[in-house]
């Protein structure tokens, strides 16, 4: 599958003559980037773009800052320790609503991967069956969708906030666990649980779709360096296209980086993650352009954040969304 894109620069990256590439690399501009978590296939496109030289071919000398629990992308962005970061859309909207000058350059993940799982033996087959049940939730912004889900179905649940939901779920300490489709859900399979033993609820099936990983910068950085930032976005898009067309090579790039950063690297699990990312980056909706933030998705998340009393004001979509893919195609 190739993304449905209307941008020629992403194609230009792979077709640039060597002499022209050398000329571009003599005029490299520095840029720093921090993804929101540790190295893994969730960010494969960025690592592939770096390894294959796509950033350099677009005149970018990229400082790739490795993410992790000790490096908050919000803090790094607001304190100007990173020019560009990835954030979840809900997190970025909350920042913008609080007055932070945060803008979206591109929406990488188009469809929410957050989901809830329960064992079929628990008798939970529909939302109403969760009433009164123990449900393991991650902290902070991960709770927004499940709590909106509970409100939507008027559920009174016993929420247990915990960092490691799988242990609680595996030991029967909770009836339902919050997991990511591309990560913990597959981890359950590696623990020997057959998918047929589980019931799954995807929030995007209940009008609670929160597009997740997006590329963000500060507003003044955009106004000063917009062309450079859009070249970063399009080089990243080319990296994702390449990763999906050459998945084994992409894993050959990502896994050594994981190992260098002491992150457990299981190739089968990372291949699952990469395959799921392909589904999430291009969900096949009519009219969807890769890396595009749809205004309907933005307004949906704003509406839910309002209903949950998590924001008091609504960011302006026209200012918030810089749309590098469309910007570069004009």
């Amino acid at each position: 599958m190739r993304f449905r894109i209307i941008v020629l620069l992403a194609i230009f990256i792979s077709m640039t003559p060597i002499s022209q590439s050398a000329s571009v690399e003599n005029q490299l501009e520095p840029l720093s980037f921090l993804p929101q978590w540790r190295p893994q296939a969730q960010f494969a496109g960025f690592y592939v773009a770096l390894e294959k030289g796509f950033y350099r071919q677009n005149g970018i000398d990229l400082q790739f800052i490795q993410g992790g629990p000790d490096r908050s992308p919000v803090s790094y962005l607001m304190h100007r320790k990173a020019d560009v970061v990835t954030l979840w859309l809900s997190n970025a909207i909350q920042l913008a609503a609080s007055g932070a000058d945060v803008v979206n350059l591109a929406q990488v993940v188009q469809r929410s991967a957050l989901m809830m799982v329960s064992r079929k033996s628990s008798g939970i087959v529909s939302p109403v069956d969760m009433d009164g049940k123990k449900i393991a939730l991650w902290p902070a912004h991960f709770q927004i969708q499940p709590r909106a889900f509970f409100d939507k179905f008027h559920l009174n649940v016993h929420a247990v906030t915990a960092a490691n939901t799988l242990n609680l779920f595996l030991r029967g300490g909770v009836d339902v666990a919050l997991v990511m489709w591309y990560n913990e859900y597959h981890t359950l399979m590696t623990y020997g649980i057959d998918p047929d033993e589980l019931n799954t609820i995807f929030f995007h099936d209940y009008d609670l779709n929160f597009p997740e990983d997006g590329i963000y910068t500060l507003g003044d950085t955009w106004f000063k360096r917009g062309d450079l930032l859009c070249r970063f976005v399009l080089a990243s898009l080319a990296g994702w296209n390449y990763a999906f067309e050459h998945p084994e090579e992409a894993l050959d790039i990502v896994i050594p980086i994981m190992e260098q950063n002491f992150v457990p690297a299981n190739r089968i699990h990372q291949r699952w993650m990469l395959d799921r990312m392909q589904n999430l980056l291009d969900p096949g909706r009519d009219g969807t352009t890769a890396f595009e933030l749809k205004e309907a998705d933005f307004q949906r998340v704003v509406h839910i954040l309002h209903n949950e009393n998590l924001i008091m004001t609504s960011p302006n979509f026209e200012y918030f969304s810089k749309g590098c893919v469309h910007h570069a195609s004009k």
Side-chain angles (χ1 to χ4, degrees):
M1 177 203 74
R2 294 187 64 86
F3 286 142
R4 297 182 300 280
I5 61 175
I6 57 175
V7 181
L8 297 179
L9 187 53
I11 301 174
F12 163 83
I13 292 170
S14 62
M15 297 176 63
T16 305
I18 295 176
S19 59
Q20 187 175 346
S21 294
S23 176
V24 170
E25 291 192 25
N26 288 332
Q27 306 172 39
L28 298 178
E29 297 180 68
L31 192 73
S32 55
F33 168 61
L34 172 68
Q36 79 260 33
W37 196 241
R38 296 184 178 103
Q40 58 183 5
Q42 178 185 357
F43 310 109
F46 301 109
Y47 288 111
V48 168
L50 181 66
E51 176 68 21
K52 302 301 292 186
F54 296 163
Y55 296 121
R56 297 184 69 84
Q57 290 172 23
N58 276 272
I60 302 169
D61 180 13
L62 188 67
Q63 178 193 3
F64 202 122
I65 306 169
Q66 299 301 345
D70 59 336
R71 289 179 176 155
S72 162
V74 173
S75 177
Y76 266 63
L77 184 63
M78 299 309 298
H79 290 92
R80 300 182 186 275
K81 296 166 67 176
D83 299 312
V84 183
V85 301
T86 60
L87 297 169
W88 275 23
L89 177 59
S90 56
N91 195 1
I93 289 175
Q94 287 178 287
L95 284 172
S98 71
D101 189 15
V102 175
V103 296
N104 176 291
L105 299 175
Q107 187 57 47
V108 180
V109 173
Q110 296 282 331
R111 181 158 52 88
S112 176
L114 200 62
M115 60 188 293
M116 293 186 291
V117 295
S118 62
R119 294 181 185 270
K120 288 185 177 178
S121 59
S122 69
I124 299 174
V125 295
S126 67
V128 296
D129 297 325
M130 292 187 188
D131 198 47
K133 302 296 186 181
K134 290 183 179 179
I135 301 181
L137 301 178
W138 296 326
H141 60 276
F142 292 106
Q143 296 194 8
I144 299 172
Q145 283 163 283
R147 292 195 180 278
F149 179 87
F150 304 149
D151 289 345
K152 182 172 185 173
F153 290 97
H154 310 290
L155 303 178
N156 181 20
V157 305
H158 301 289
V160 179
T161 301
N164 192 339
T165 61
L166 290 183
N167 283 342
L168 283 172
F169 181 71
L170 290 168
R171 297 175 181 178
V174 294
D175 305 291
V176 180
L178 191 68
V179 300
M180 298 299 293
W181 184 37
Y182 56 73
N183 198 352
E184 291 81 10
Y185 176 72
H186 184 256
T187 299
L188 290 172
M189 310 299 105
T190 66
Y191 288 165
I193 297 180
D194 192 296
D196 291 338
E197 299 175 34
L198 298 174
N199 287 318
T200 60
I201 286 182
F202 289 89
F203 292 108
H204 61 73
D205 288 333
Y206 292 87
D207 200 30
L208 292 170
N209 183 48
F210 279 35
E212 293 165 355
D213 303 5
I215 302 174
Y216 292 88
T217 191
L218 296 177
D220 63 347
T221 305
W222 162 258
F223 288 113
K224 293 174 184 175
R225 309 175 76 189
D227 177 70
L228 174 66
L229 293 167
C230 283
R231 281 185 272 134
F232 168 81
V233 166
L234 294 169
S236 301
L237 176 55
W240 279 110
N241 276 323
Y242 191 96
F244 295 145
E245 291 172 357
H246 308 87
E248 295 308 319
E249 183 181 351
L251 294 179
D252 288 341
I253 292 171
V254 172
I255 288 177
I257 298 172
M258 295 177 65
E259 294 171 344
Q260 291 164 14
N261 288 272
F262 307 104
V263 179
N266 178 297
R267 193 178 185 91
I268 295 175
H269 182 60
Q270 292 304 309
R271 180 58 191 267
W272 167 275
M273 186 178 295
L274 183 60
D275 288 345
R276 302 290 78 72
M277 291 303 292
Q278 184 168 4
N279 299 134
L280 297 167
L281 268 65
D282 183 26
R285 293 180 296 165
D286 291 342
T288 298
T289 299
F291 275 31
E292 175 188 4
L293 174 59
K294 305 284 281 188
E295 185 170 4
D297 289 337
F298 172 85
Q299 297 297 352
R300 180 188 309 108
V301 176
V302 166
H303 177 72
I304 293 169
L305 292 175
H306 264 301
N307 286 350
E308 295 297 310
N309 296 314
L310 294 172
I311 60 173
M312 297 296 108
T313 61
S314 301
N316 179 276
F317 177 76
E318 295 302 321
Y319 181 82
F320 181 83
S321 176
K322 299 307 178 187
C324 268
V325 171
H326 292 296
H327 174 83
S329 67
K330 293 178 181 178

